[in-house]
């Protein structure tokens, strides 16, 4: 059996940071940011009551409620996070405790930057297909603003905070999980952030900047607009489906509206099949896709039986894609 998504939930922080707010602290403007990214605003966590772990719990509870299940039915929890508030215990164990999942539920976290949710989803599906899980919780939660350098106008304007979650349950009528996962460590320097907990280096020149997000924007853009369309085409060829006829929606990582538009153009697919919410949230890394799924469902645009392509890309460099039936 393969798993089917039966519940979706999301949490976004209350504070909103607009482009005009950034213009007050940086040499930038609403027009400059919007033209280059498509972003108008993003949500910032307060870092006290809104942490990756607390946001993951909030999104998980909403997904469980949406699925209409008892938390004790869950036998696996996988959380994707690159910006955790905890080193130990794992965030998944925190979620297990707070939602009231059973004591013998399997829990672990994955770190794969922006494609983390897809990595977690494919891990969950592998457990289900091997018979080692029946009902699983898959979460992407990020507090990117903890790692932003707010003196770097080319990077800090891109990111927001939030969490999204899905409940996946084994379904004998659901076809096998269809996916491709790729990476290229030779291009790792395009997106970096060093660990801050290195006391012997605290006085090292440039160390503070090195422990914030650093991105070679042009290189990442060229990578994304080349590799993401190629990946989606390869996915369709591998699993023998037609991109135009057999896909209802393309759910892409919300990093930059120009990347999404370029992908649609290269695939020859109308942009109406590429829903976007980047204008409201910016780049929320691994939480991007589940938050978008949650919004689409709330708006009545995501219906059972729809065929979806999920695709994401990010640090590593890594890029992943799935073809699923909702």
């Amino acid at each position: 059996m393969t798993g089917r998504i039966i519940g979706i939930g999301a949490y976004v922080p209350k504070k909103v940071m607009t482009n005009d707010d950034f213009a007050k602290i940086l040499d930038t403007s609403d027009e400059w940011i919007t033209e280059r990214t498509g972003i108008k605003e993003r949500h910032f966590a307060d870092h006290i009551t809104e942490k990756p772990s607390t946001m993951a719990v909030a999104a998980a509870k909403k997904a469980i409620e949406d699925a209409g299940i008892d938390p004790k039915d869950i036998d696996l929890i996988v959380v994707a996070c690159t910006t955790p508030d905890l080193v130990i215990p794992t965030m998944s164990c925190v979620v297990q405790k707070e939602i009231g999942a059973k004591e013998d539920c399997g829990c672990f976290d994955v770190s794969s930057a922006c494609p983390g949710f897809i990595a977690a989803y494919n891990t969950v599906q592998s457990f289900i297909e091997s018979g080692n899980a029946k009902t699983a919780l898959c979460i992407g939660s990020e507090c990117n603003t903890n790692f932003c350098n707010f003196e770097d106008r080319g990077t800090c304007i891109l990111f927001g905070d939030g969490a999204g979650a899905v409940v996946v349950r084994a379904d004998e009528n659901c076809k096998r999980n269809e996916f491709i996962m790729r990476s290229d460590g030779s291009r790792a320097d395009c997106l970096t952030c060093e660990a801050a907990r290195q006391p012997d280096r605290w006085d090292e020149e440039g160390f503070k900047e090195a422990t914030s997000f650093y991105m070679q924007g042009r290189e990442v853009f060229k990578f994304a607009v080349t590799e993401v369309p190629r990946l989606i085409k390869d996915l369709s060829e591998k699993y023998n489906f037609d991109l135009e006829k057999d896909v209802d929606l393309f759910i892409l990582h919300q990093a930059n509206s120009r990347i999404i538009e370029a992908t649609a153009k290269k695939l020859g697919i109308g942009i109406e099949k590429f829903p976007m919410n980047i204008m409201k949230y910016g780049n929320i890394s691994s939480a991007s896709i589940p938050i978008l799924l949650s919004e689409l469902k709330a708006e009545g645009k995501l219906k059972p039986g729809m065929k979806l392509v999920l695709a994401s890309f990010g640090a590593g460099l890594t890029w992943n894609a799935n073809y699923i039936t909702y």
Side-chain angles (χ1 to χ4, degrees), residues 4-153:
R4 184 186 296 274
I5 295 174
I6 63 168
I8 312 175
Y11 177 87
V12 290
K14 299 174 181 64
K15 179 182 177 180
V16 175
M17 184 80 169
T18 68
N19 292 345
D20 288 333
D21 291 329
F22 268 112
K24 296 174 184 176
I25 60 174
L26 293 170
D27 180 18
T28 190
S29 67
D30 174 59
E31 182 181 10
W32 189 90
I33 297 172
T34 303
E35 180 183 349
R36 287 161 177 79
T37 69
I39 301 168
K40 299 292 289 185
E41 58 188 37
R42 66 291 286 153
H43 291 249
F44 279 15
D46 65 16
H47 310 300
I48 299 173
T49 63
E50 295 170 323
K51 298 180 284 189
S53 57
T54 59
M55 293 191 292
V57 169
K61 288 181 176 178
K62 290 181 180 180
I64 291 167
E65 180 181 2
D66 185 51
I69 65 168
D70 187 323
K72 295 191 182 303
D73 292 339
I74 297 169
D75 45 28
L76 177 67
I77 302 173
V78 182
V79 177
C81 184
T82 309
T83 58
D85 51 302
L86 296 167
V87 176
I88 50 175
T90 61
M91 200 178 304
S92 51
C93 286
V94 174
V95 172
Q96 176 194 25
K97 173 188 174 184
E98 295 299 325
I99 66 172
K102 59 187 179 182
E103 292 182 0
D104 59 352
C105 173
C107 294
F108 60 93
D109 298 352
V110 300
S111 177
S112 188
C114 298
F117 175 78
I118 292 183
Y121 176 82
N122 287 331
T123 302
V124 161
Q125 289 286 24
S126 296
F127 271 74
I128 292 173
E129 289 183 345
S130 66
N132 288 297
K134 182 178 179 181
T135 304
L137 185 59
C138 179
I139 304 169
S141 183
E142 303 286 0
C143 196
N144 293 309
T145 53
N146 273 338
F147 294 83
C148 284
N149 176 358
F150 286 96
E151 296 178 358
D152 178 5
R153 73 166 188 166

